[in-house]
Amino acid sequence: IGDLIRCGAINGSRKTINRGKHVGVFAIGDQALYDLMGSDPNFMLVPGYYGNDPSVIAQNDNMVSVNTALEIDLTGQVCSESIGSTQFSGTGGATDYAYGALHSKGGRGIIAMSSTAKHGTISKIKAQLTPGSAVTISRNLVDRIVTEYGVAYMRGRTLRERALNLIAVAHPDFRAELTRQAKDLGMI
């Protein structure tokens, strides 16, 4: 992010609140980022209760949240924390930003992920989440899911449309099986 700020690609000039500021809850980077943060008065590290507050996030018109997932089921439930009961991460601000973007005037929420894991041997789009997996972002808050195969539009879609849209952006090697499973579950 430091390089994007230094070259002027990110300047905060279009923000509705905290205009011109670079607001974050935490930062991890190289020494150049820390030097920039220490010398640029436009950097603001704020407490999580403010920076991750969906009502604050939603105040920025055209807010775009970008999150990722470990797996997604065909209804659009997003798991970013665990595979089954094996924990890999915490929730972070994923739900907060998805909610905030969804409620922002003109906002969009994006879940960006590769369609497979383990060198292409496992689909990250599944008929159902692995039993025991945590639902990080409810299907009701999911707007768009992006893989290397395209965009699955989810907002305002029926369960059938959601399943078909997700199958279309799954890795081609898994689409037939996902279609069969979706039929078995009565989704399509």
Side-chain angles (χ1 to χ4, degrees), residues 53-55 57-60 63 95-104 107:
D53 182 337
S55 67
I57 295 163
Q59 291 178 49
N60 276 303
M63 178 66 190
T95 304
D96 302 323
Y97 277 87
Y99 185 93
L102 186 70
H103 290 86
S104 162

Side-chain angles (χ1 to χ4, degrees), residues 58-81:
Q59 291 178 49
N60 276 303
D61 293 347
N62 303 305
M63 178 66 190
V64 177
S65 72
V66 180
N67 289 295
T68 193
L70 293 172
E71 59 183 30
I72 295 175
D73 74 13
L74 290 179
T75 71
Q77 294 186 113
V78 175
C79 175
S80 301
E81 302 170 57

Side-chain angles (χ1 to χ4, degrees), residues 22-34:
H22 311 296
V23 181
V25 174
F26 68 91
I28 298 174
D30 59 11
Q31 190 60 48
L33 175 64
Y34 300 139

Side-chain angles (χ1 to χ4, degrees), residues 18 22-26 43-52 56 97:
N18 299 309
H22 311 296
V23 181
V25 174
F26 68 91
F43 264 97
M44 291 174 51
L45 287 182
V46 298
Y49 65 79
Y50 177 80
N52 286 359
V56 172
Y97 277 87

Side-chain angles (χ1 to χ4, degrees), residues 111-188:
I111 306 298
M113 64 176 215
S114 61
S115 64
T116 62
K118 296 213 177 199
H119 308 288
T121 62
I122 297 172
S123 179
K124 291 173 73 174
I125 297 173
K126 301 182 173 225
Q128 297 178 310
L129 295 178
T130 302
S133 293
V135 176
T136 309
I137 302 174
S138 157
R139 68 185 188 196
N140 301 313
L141 298 177
V142 175
D143 186 9
R144 300 164 191 194
I145 297 172
V146 178
T147 73
E148 65 274 32
Y149 296 102
V151 180
Y153 293 93
M154 306 298 280
R155 189 188 296 192
R157 301 307 197 271
T158 66
L159 291 179
R160 175 184 168 76
E161 291 168 331
R162 287 167 168 260
L164 291 171
N165 290 355
L166 281 165
I167 291 167
V169 299
H171 189 285
D173 291 349
F174 296 98
R175 291 179 189 165
E177 179 62 17
L178 285 168
T179 300
R180 185 194 64 73
Q181 291 173 342
K183 287 178 181 176
D184 289 348
L185 292 167
M187 300 172 109
I188 60 173

